[in-house]
């Protein structure tokens, strides 16, 4: 997939951590779905499982796309997940993207 198209508005970056039943199936319950959703929305960044049983990562892109991804991370998630809460931190405007795609980290 090519680089995300710049939509009107500022570029944003936000870190996230998702709590609930968000790992499983060999530790990969939500990761492929998160990567798929990010690519569909045209945002970049990363996602990974933590040793505490949460999923963490960073999303960057046009503000409205980042907001759509935040909503997905908070309310939808993968089909077999149960999201109890999602924490967002370090939300800021950025001048350029730090990533060229969205990837799963191990």
């Amino acid at each position: 997939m090519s680089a995300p198209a710049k939509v009107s508005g500022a570029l944003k970056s936000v870190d996230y951590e998702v709590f609930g039943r968000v790992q499983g199936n060999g530790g990969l319950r939500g990761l492929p779905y998160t990567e798929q959703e990010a690519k569909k929305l045209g945002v970049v960044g990363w996602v990974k499982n933590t040793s505490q049983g949460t999923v963490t990562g960073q999303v960057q892109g046009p503000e409205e796309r980042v907001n759509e991804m935040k909503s997905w991370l908070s309310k939808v998630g993968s089909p077999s997940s149960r999201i109890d809460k999602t924490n967002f931190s370090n939300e800021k405007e950025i001048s350029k993207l730090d990533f060229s795609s969205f990837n799963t980290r191990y």
Side-chain angles (χ1 to χ4, degrees):
M1 178 177 246
S2 60
K6 185 164 182 178
V7 183
S8 64
L11 292 175
K12 288 279 192 183
S13 176
V14 66
D15 298 337
Y16 61 89
E17 186 168 14
V18 185
F19 297 81
R21 195 183 73 224
V22 293
Q23 290 187 13
N25 299 337
L28 292 174
R29 182 185 307 277
L31 302 186
Y33 291 98
T34 304
E35 188 173 324
Q36 181 180 12
E37 185 67 16
K39 289 178 178 178
K40 184 176 95 177
L41 291 174
V43 295
V44 299
W46 57 272
V47 61
K48 74 173 185 173
N49 287 325
T50 70
S51 58
Q52 294 79 37
T54 64
V55 170
T56 188
Q58 186 176 78
V59 175
Q60 294 183 350
E63 183 174 14
E64 55 271 21
R65 304 283 186 193
V66 169
N67 288 341
E68 288 178 55
M69 189 67 188
K70 285 173 64 179
S71 178
W72 187 87
L73 288 164
S74 300
K75 300 175 183 148
V76 182
S78 69
S80 56
S81 67
R82 185 198 72 241
I83 299 168
D84 292 337
K85 70 175 181 172
T86 305
N87 289 346
F88 296 100
S89 60
N90 301 321
E91 188 162 353
K92 61 188 179 227
E93 193 170 309
I94 56 174
S95 59
K96 67 178 182 59
L97 300 173
D98 294 326
F99 309 96
S100 59
S101 63
F102 195 96
N103 296 304
T104 299
R105 293 185 176 178
Y106 298 97

